Amino acid sequence: MASHRKSRTAGTRVAGIRTPALATAALTSVALLSQSADATPAADGAPSLEEVEKKVDALYRQAESATEKYNAAKERTGKQRKRVDTLLDDVARRTQKLNEAREELGSFAAAQYRTGASAPDTATFLLADSPQDYFDQTQLMSRLTTRQKGAVDDYVTEQSATMKKRREAAQGLQTLTETQSDLHTAKATVQRKLSDARAVLSRLTAEEKARLAAIEKEKREKAAEEAAELAKRQAAEKAAQRQPDTSASSSSAPSSPSSGAYSTKAQKTLAFARAQIGKPYVWGATGPDSYDCSGLTQAAWKAAGVSLPRTTYDQVNAGTTVSLAAAQPGDLVFFYDDVTHVGIYIGDGMMIHAPKPGAYVREESLYYDGESAIHSVVRPA
């Protein structure tokens, strides 16, 4: 993928932000190794269901990461294609002007040839029918010389500008070719990871699939409990903020107009997001029939009149970072060290998101993949 990703230094969670300490690939490898060690293997040496679940989840995560790379490359490709088209149009216009300037020079040369124009001298004076004829011819030649000089200057200037634009267009085409290569690579990676996940799941028996569903249900129940705990903490903080301050009059602490404006936009955003519940996750999709995670958040906030960038990598910087405890409905919640997933917070520890391939837009706990998966919370407007 191209270098639109911002580098991050190792660190710890501060005000709801957890900066990565290891590259995603390394984290995935460590996780899979530890899971393999802790999970009880099947009697025949085949991986346990817990291992299968974690492997499939890892593949889906990798597919989603590649999807965001695809989204970024697709966006850059579109912008670069527009730029190249503009440059090529400019080159065409300048080439036309250059041809017109060349024709003008040719007409001057032909005029001089027809009139025998040259520097006036005594012979020309003597051959003239009259002194007036001489002076008329001299003025004509003077005008031709001045206009010709201007035409030459114009031609040289236009030629230089045209060559510059041609070089820019050539460079733009080269960049476009490279970005299209990134786009194809990311697309192939997504398809390969999804194919690998389907292959793993296809080897499960009906009984194993049922047990795997039970494991998923247990995870969701645990995540719901953690969401409820977050909701309690947030409610307690809000109640504390509503306590009257006896040291100052109520008029000294007016409500923030921006908070009300944000709430209005957030309501529109959430109304749109709720209307998408049940639509399938499709990688690279931006609606209206299907979405990927960042496609959903972009479309939802657009419904509120706020323009967000296309990818999670850019959306995470498109607003004000707040702590998880201070999250408000409408805020964007980002996940994983490589910032490859995002959802829209709806309150009470819950969010609306497009989860992963094979799933549908739904409401789910922020802790669907554990608290450690939460990267940051961003308020877009």
Side-chain angles (χ1 to χ4, degrees), residues 14 62 68 108 145 194 306 323:
V14 179
Q62 292 163 14
E68 289 304 311
F108 284 138
T145 302
L194 294 180
V306 177
S323 68

Side-chain angles (χ1 to χ4, degrees), residues 75 272 285-286 291-304 306-311 315 332 342 344:
E75 187 175 42
F272 179 93
T286 56
Y291 298 89
D292 62 20
C293 66
S294 57
L296 175 65
T297 53
Q298 184 187 48
W301 269 101
K302 183 179 181 181
V306 177
S307 179
L308 291 181
R310 175 64 182 94
T311 69
Q315 288 182 9
L332 301 180
V342 62
I344 306 171

Side-chain angles (χ1 to χ4, degrees), residues 96-316:
Q96 178 63 29
K97 289 181 65 177
L98 195 62
N99 290 336
E100 291 171 357
R102 185 182 293 110
E103 290 174 2
E104 186 177 10
L105 286 177
S107 67
F108 284 138
Q112 287 182 332
Y113 178 79
R114 287 194 303 271
T115 61
S118 60
D121 52 19
T122 305
T124 305
F125 177 78
L126 293 175
L127 291 173
D129 293 333
S130 69
Q132 185 61 49
D133 290 340
Y134 170 77
F135 289 115
D136 289 343
Q137 188 179 25
T138 301
Q139 291 174 3
L140 174 62
M141 286 189 295
S142 177
R143 287 197 300 273
L144 284 173
T145 302
T146 301
R147 289 177 61 191
Q148 184 178 18
K149 183 178 183 301
V152 170
D153 290 342
D154 291 344
Y155 179 82
V156 171
T157 299
E158 194 61 43
Q159 185 181 48
S160 176
T162 301
M163 293 302 294
K164 180 180 178 181
K165 289 298 180 181
R166 285 176 178 171
R167 287 193 296 270
E168 290 180 8
Q171 292 171 353
L173 285 170
Q174 177 63 30
T175 302
L176 177 60
T177 300
E178 293 171 357
T179 306
Q180 286 176 325
S181 177
D182 291 341
L183 185 66
H184 294 320
T185 298
K187 181 178 181 179
T189 301
V190 174
Q191 293 172 330
R192 185 173 65 254
K193 296 300 180 182
L194 294 180
S195 177
D196 291 345
R198 287 192 293 268
V200 172
L201 291 172
S202 69
R203 291 193 288 268
L204 297 179
T205 64
E207 180 182 357
E208 287 173 330
K209 289 179 180 178
R211 287 170 55 201
L212 195 58
I215 293 173
E216 286 283 348
K217 181 180 178 182
E218 184 179 349
K219 283 178 61 178
R220 287 196 298 270
E221 290 173 350
K222 182 179 179 181
E225 292 175 1
E226 293 177 321
E229 287 297 322
L230 174 63
K232 288 180 182 178
R233 293 199 303 270
Q234 291 177 325
E237 288 188 11
K238 289 180 181 178
Q241 292 171 357
R242 286 195 297 267
Q243 292 297 323
D245 185 358
T246 57
S247 63
S249 64
S250 59
S251 60
S252 64
S255 60
S256 170
S258 62
S259 177
Y262 180 77
S263 178
T264 299
K265 292 177 180 178
Q267 289 174 14
K268 293 179 180 179
T269 298
L270 292 174
F272 179 93
R274 288 192 174 97
Q276 313 313 308
I277 289 176
K279 293 183 179 180
Y281 175 104
V282 174
W283 66 274
T286 56
D289 300 321
S290 58
Y291 298 89
D292 62 20
C293 66
S294 57
L296 175 65
T297 53
Q298 184 187 48
W301 269 101
K302 183 179 181 181
V306 177
S307 179
L308 291 181
R310 175 64 182 94
T311 69
T312 54
Y313 310 127
D314 293 324
Q315 288 182 9
V316 74

Side-chain angles (χ1 to χ4, degrees), residues 36-87:
S36 299
D38 295 339
T40 302
D44 59 357
S48 67
L49 278 180
E50 289 81 2
E51 290 175 317
V52 169
E53 182 211 21
K54 293 180 187 303
K55 183 175 182 180
V56 170
D57 282 348
L59 288 168
Y60 280 148
R61 279 277 328 281
Q62 292 163 14
E64 193 167 35
S65 177
T67 294
E68 289 304 311
K69 294 178 181 179
Y70 171 86
N71 291 339
K74 184 178 181 181
E75 187 175 42
R76 288 199 311 278
T77 297
K79 291 179 179 178
Q80 289 166 357
R81 183 175 287 112
K82 288 180 180 179
R83 180 173 180 272
V84 168
D85 287 345
T86 300
L87 286 169

